[in-house]
Amino acid sequence: MTLRFRLPRRGLLLLCAAVVAAFSTFIFTRRNEPTSPAAPPPSTPKQPGPTPTTLGWNAHIALVSGDGVDGLRDGPATQARWSDPWGIAIDARGVTYVADAGANNRIRRIAADGTVSPLAGGREGFADGIGTAAAFDAPSGLALDTAGNLYVADTGNHAIRKITPQGAVTTLAGTGTAGWRDGPAVQAQFDAPIGVAVDDAGMVYVADTYNDRIRVIGLDGVVSTLAGGDAPGYGDGVGTQASFDTPCALAIDKAGTLWIADTGNGAIRRIARDGKVDTFARATMLGDKVLLRRPLSLALTHDGYLYVGDMAHGVVLQFAPDARPALLTGASGDGDRFVRPAGLALDAAGALHLSDAASHRLHEIRPLVAALAAQPPAPVGPAPDAPAPDTGGRWPVRPQNVRHEIVGTVGEARGAYHGDALDHLHDGLDIHNNVGAAVLAIADARIEDPLPAWGLGELREGISLDVLSYIHMRVGRNARDEPLDPARFQLLRDETGALERVRVRRGTRIKAGDVLGTTNAMAHVHLTWGNWGHTRNALALGFKDFADHVPPHIDGVQIEDADGKALAQKRRGRLVVPRDARGVAIVVEAWDQVDGNEARRRLGLYSLGYQILDKDGRPAPGYEQPRTTLVFDRIPADSAATKVAYAAKSGITVYGSSATRFRYVVTNRVRDGGFASGSWRTDELPAGDYIVRILASDHAGNTATKNRDVPVALMDPADIAPPKPERKNPRTRKSSR
């Protein structure tokens, strides 16, 4: 019997090829087969690569979650609430992770369908465990590795935590105590780290914020210092020869270069694979403004473009790989100004996601297209009607439950030492306090800003505690610059012993009544409520024993032409106003007082406006409702609003001057955080006799009733007789002899 084996054609070819290869140096290749296994078949279309990034693209801000109110609420993203949303990370499935610090102390997750739910944590503490059994303390930066593990810079616990995809929380490195120590992860120490990043190999990098160092956790669990010295500073170099100042965020690119938001230095720094540190950008100018001042968050595109969230201006900047800058958000003014852009992340589609920590909101930034341009702008910033902090009526000076003298109110014109009497609008409440006397917290607070103290030794030295700021003080020390509470207020000195700065860590707890420092030579405490650009009137906080029963005083009303010259011509006792005039302004000189203040103390008003009445006191057509144009409820971030609210010869030239005048331009608008110039459109009314009535109120609701009405005669130009020439006194005529 004969056995026959039939090989498939491909098997026969492979057998022949093997035989040929064994006996010759020729290589057999089937006709029409690809010569390289990596090349796709001719019928397979080439897959498009990622879209190249454009510098300076037109951005549209959309709201993802948060209503601008501090709180905790899960569920649909549009209904969720956040406390201090900081770090943000997005995985390949489109799931967003957010480190929500503040009062929440948890890591939260936004599913692809927009549902917000807890991932881990839920109480302030330091504990490993599954899901809500774990505890965090002011969690900040987040980073994902290729396996889906989430790394958390647990700032208040001075540790780096790891969360598996199953929700198991462990401590990767850190003892829970502030310090600086390299070595095995269980022994290593950090000082309130805020930023974290991880590379494709699994190496974890840490912005060890208050040690001013960049650290790395190796695959073997050993912590080492990658760069930075033993004190805050600024200098490039290799490894520990370089220096940083309060670094807060990290990002790593495909080449292995580590990017650092060097927050205290206002710089973007880089660490190459060889350990060399250089500066990519610092004090970046756009036009005549320095926009890179306090970089807080970073995100890198696939092709090397860098996005930076800067908290000094509340904007997002973009940098090309060659360091050319562009302003991505914030170009339109206060309307798209973030407060604390703490986290940035790019999703798979290239959209930029941002967490505005102090506004309790999450946003998405996409290119503006025609369909989006017609939509109303998304709300940005904290809710204007967010609940006030619980102050219990306390004053920021001793005794806290007794009335003190108010020496300045919100919205007053303030000058500068260079001589401009209308330099800026006063954004807080000034409360008298003796030089060297204690300044006290009026509410419980948690430090959320990584750099909450500023202006060491300057008159405007102060500290920000959540939404309240205390200014004109020696932060954390007495009049002799001795420390008051070294555990919370670190006094850093140079090699000569001279005080260089006061440092307060993010996450530090402050209780109502705690001493924050002592009053400096300004002899008062300047108390503000709200962050810059979203400042609210601090009188609304309520203070024990404070009372105001004194109505505002109106000293005079002028109607001025476009050149600022007061109209003076009268007819039948009425001020003549041309109907065809353009740029007519109504200027009111007025001031206020409160109960218990010295008689000489003049304060600014809360609201002003005007109404046009007919000669019998009835509202003129179009003026059925008074036009309340100046309301100092929120102070615009742009100091140009000062010269919109006030006319020339207002304000004070420098602090401490006794001459104070308030000349309000009530035909302009400054209110609700915005401002705009305006005028009285005299041509809207027919010729005739009218009354210009001024509305002037203080914060307590008292209104001025004296000197508020100005009788006017609106006249057509042809009916206005030219003013008679001024007659000269013959006795003053010079002799011709």
Side-chain angles (χ1 to χ4, degrees):
M1 182 175 67
T2 304
L3 296 177
R4 296 183 179 181
F5 294 91
R6 185 175 182 180
L7 290 174
R9 183 168 182 262
R10 181 174 175 82
L12 181 61
L13 290 174
L14 291 175
L15 178 61
C16 293
V19 173
V20 171
F23 294 95
S24 71
T25 59
F26 294 100
I27 298 177
F28 176 80
T29 306
R30 273 189 64 182
R31 189 177 179 181
N32 297 329
E33 285 191 345
T35 57
S36 170
S43 60
T44 304
K46 184 178 180 180
Q47 296 296 320
T51 303
T53 305
T54 302
L55 180 65
W57 47 274
N58 199 5
H60 172 79
I61 300 171
L63 179 64
V64 173
S65 187
D67 60 359
V69 176
D70 189 339
L72 174 64
R73 188 164 60 208
D74 289 331
T78 55
Q79 300 175 18
R81 275 188 174 170
W82 307 81
S83 182
D84 180 26
W86 197 274
I88 184 169
I90 305 173
D91 68 17
R93 301 169 298 158
V95 177
T96 301
Y97 303 91
V98 181
D100 192 14
N104 292 341
N105 290 297
R106 65 190 66 199
I107 311 303
R108 302 170 74 183
R109 173 176 49 197
I110 307 176
D113 65 0
T115 302
V116 178
S117 61
L119 175 66
R123 60 188 173 88
E124 186 174 316
F126 189 21
D128 292 339
I130 305 294
T132 56
F136 299 89
D137 187 353
S140 300
L142 295 180
L144 281 163
D145 67 13
T146 55
N149 297 301
L150 188 67
Y151 297 86
V152 184
D154 194 1
T155 305
N157 283 321
H158 315 286
I160 303 301
R161 315 291 291 284
K162 179 181 177 180
I163 309 176
T164 67
Q166 294 75 35
V169 179
T170 57
T171 299
L172 183 66
T175 64
T177 302
W180 174 67
R181 184 166 61 211
D182 284 338
V186 294
Q187 301 174 11
Q189 287 185 317
F190 303 90
D191 194 345
I194 291 178
V196 64
V198 59
D199 65 16
D200 289 343
M203 302 273 282
V204 178
Y205 301 87
V206 180
D208 193 2
T209 304
Y210 299 101
N211 276 323
D212 305 292
R213 291 177 167 95
I214 308 302
R215 316 278 292 281
V216 60
I217 307 172
L219 300 179
D220 57 359
V222 175
V223 178
S224 59
T225 297
L226 186 62
D230 56 1
Y234 173 71
D236 292 337
V238 177
T240 56
Q241 297 174 354
S243 54
F244 301 90
D245 186 345
T246 324
C248 285
L250 301 175
I252 192 161
D253 63 20
K254 296 177 180 178
T257 300
L258 188 67
W259 297 72
I260 303 115
D262 192 2
T263 309
N265 281 321
I268 304 300
R269 315 286 293 284
R270 297 179 297 194
I271 306 177
R273 282 187 174 275
D274 60 4
K276 183 178 180 181
V277 177
D278 74 336
T279 299
F280 175 76
R282 190 185 190 200
T284 300
M285 298 285 295
L286 281 174
D288 59 349
K289 293 183 178 180
V290 179
L291 288 185
L292 184 64
R293 290 183 54 196
R294 285 289 183 264
L296 192 60
S297 52
L298 301 175
L300 278 166
T301 69
H302 65 91
D303 49 357
Y305 284 75
L306 180 71
Y307 296 109
V308 180
D310 188 278
M311 69 175 176
H313 297 286
V315 300
V316 176
L317 300 170
Q318 183 192 28
F319 288 90
D322 60 2
R324 284 177 297 144
L327 184 61
L328 194 65
T329 70
S332 63
D334 297 340
D336 55 355
R337 176 191 176 92
F338 303 113
V339 177
R340 193 173 298 136
L344 285 174
L346 287 160
D347 64 20
L352 189 64
H353 295 251
L354 178 144
S355 58
D356 189 2
S359 297
H360 325 293
R361 297 187 194 267
L362 304 176
H363 296 276
E364 183 178 285
I365 305 172
R366 287 185 177 274
L368 180 64
V369 295
L372 296 175
Q375 297 180 5
V380 173
D385 57 351
D390 181 11
T391 68
R394 301 178 189 87
W395 295 78
V397 298
R398 287 177 175 148
Q400 288 196 281
N401 59 349
V402 174
R403 184 194 65 80
H404 295 266
E405 186 175 18
I406 300 291
V407 297
T409 57
V410 173
E412 295 182 2
R414 285 292 187 266
Y417 285 102
H418 55 68
D420 185 359
L422 299 177
D423 180 73
H424 60 278
L425 290 174
H426 196 242
D427 64 343
L429 190 67
D430 288 346
I431 300 146
H432 179 265
N433 201 32
N434 292 330
V435 175
V439 177
L440 310 175
I442 64 173
D444 293 348
R446 185 169 216 191
I447 300 290
E448 296 178 349
D449 190 329
L451 289 164
W454 66 85
L456 180 74
E458 301 175 3
L459 289 176
R460 279 194 57 81
E461 182 179 351
I463 186 170
S464 174
L465 275 63
D466 196 1
V467 294
L468 297 175
S469 295
Y470 305 76
I471 307 171
H472 303 320
M473 59 184 293
R474 298 177 181 85
V475 175
R477 61 197 194 283
N478 62 20
R480 297 182 297 277
D481 280 344
E482 298 168 337
L484 296 174
D485 185 355
R488 290 188 288 186
F489 300 91
Q490 297 175 291
L491 273 56
L492 304 186
R493 302 180 183 274
D494 63 17
E495 60 275 4
T496 68
L499 185 63
E500 282 191 320
R501 72 172 64 189
V502 178
R503 178 171 259 178
V504 189
R505 300 181 182 94
R506 167 172 159 79
T508 299
R509 288 282 185 188
I510 302 291
K511 302 292 289 183
D514 285 351
V515 178
L516 305 176
T518 52
T519 304
N520 63 21
M522 291 298 289
H524 68 260
V525 178
H526 179 89
L527 179 70
T528 65
W529 172 22
N531 301 97
W532 184 239
H534 302 277
T535 307
R536 298 168 65 178
N537 196 303
L539 274 173
L541 293 170
F543 297 89
K544 288 184 178 178
D545 291 342
F546 174 78
D548 182 2
H549 298 94
V550 184
H553 301 256
I554 296 177
D555 285 346
V557 181
Q558 287 188 171
I559 298 178
E560 300 180 350
D561 62 19
D563 296 324
K565 183 179 180 180
L567 303 181
Q569 187 176 354
K570 290 190 175 182
R571 181 178 179 180
R572 301 188 308 275
R574 292 179 174 273
L575 188 67
V576 175
V577 180
R579 286 190 64 245
D580 67 338
R582 293 290 182 268
V584 173
I586 302 173
V587 178
V588 181
E589 183 159 0
W591 49 278
D592 190 35
Q593 288 183 310
V594 299
D595 294 10
N597 268 17
E598 296 182 21
R600 67 178 178 85
R601 184 75 66 194
R602 293 189 174 191
L603 302 172
L605 276 64
Y606 175 67
S607 68
L608 296 102
Y610 69 103
Q611 187 177 23
I612 308 300
L613 311 174
D614 65 19
K615 63 181 180 180
D616 298 320
R618 296 185 296 264
Y623 290 88
E624 289 77 13
Q625 296 298 323
R627 299 185 180 183
T628 306
T629 51
L630 305 179
V631 182
F632 298 108
D633 51 354
R634 283 178 51 198
I635 300 302
D638 192 339
S639 60
T642 314
K643 292 180 174 63
V644 174
Y646 289 92
K649 300 180 182 178
S650 298
I652 54 178
T653 304
V654 295
Y655 291 105
S657 170
S658 60
T660 304
R661 294 182 69 184
F662 304 98
R663 301 184 69 243
Y664 299 96
V665 186
V666 298
T667 40
N668 291 340
R669 181 182 63 84
V670 177
R671 59 175 301 168
D672 304 319
F675 64 98
S677 296
S679 64
W680 176 21
R681 291 289 306 274
T682 57
D683 59 350
E684 292 178 339
L685 294 171
D689 292 342
Y690 297 91
I691 298 169
V692 176
R693 172 162 291 176
I694 302 303
L695 313 169
S697 302
D698 59 25
H699 194 273
N702 303 303
T703 60
T705 57
K706 298 179 180 180
N707 302 326
R708 65 177 181 171
D709 291 343
V710 179
V712 300
L714 278 181
M715 300 180 65
D716 292 318
D719 298 328
I720 300 176
K724 295 180 180 180
E726 185 178 340
R727 296 182 61 185
K728 296 183 179 180
N729 189 337
R731 294 182 180 180
T732 63
R733 192 175 300 164
K734 291 185 178 180
S735 173
S736 60
R737 291 180 293 176

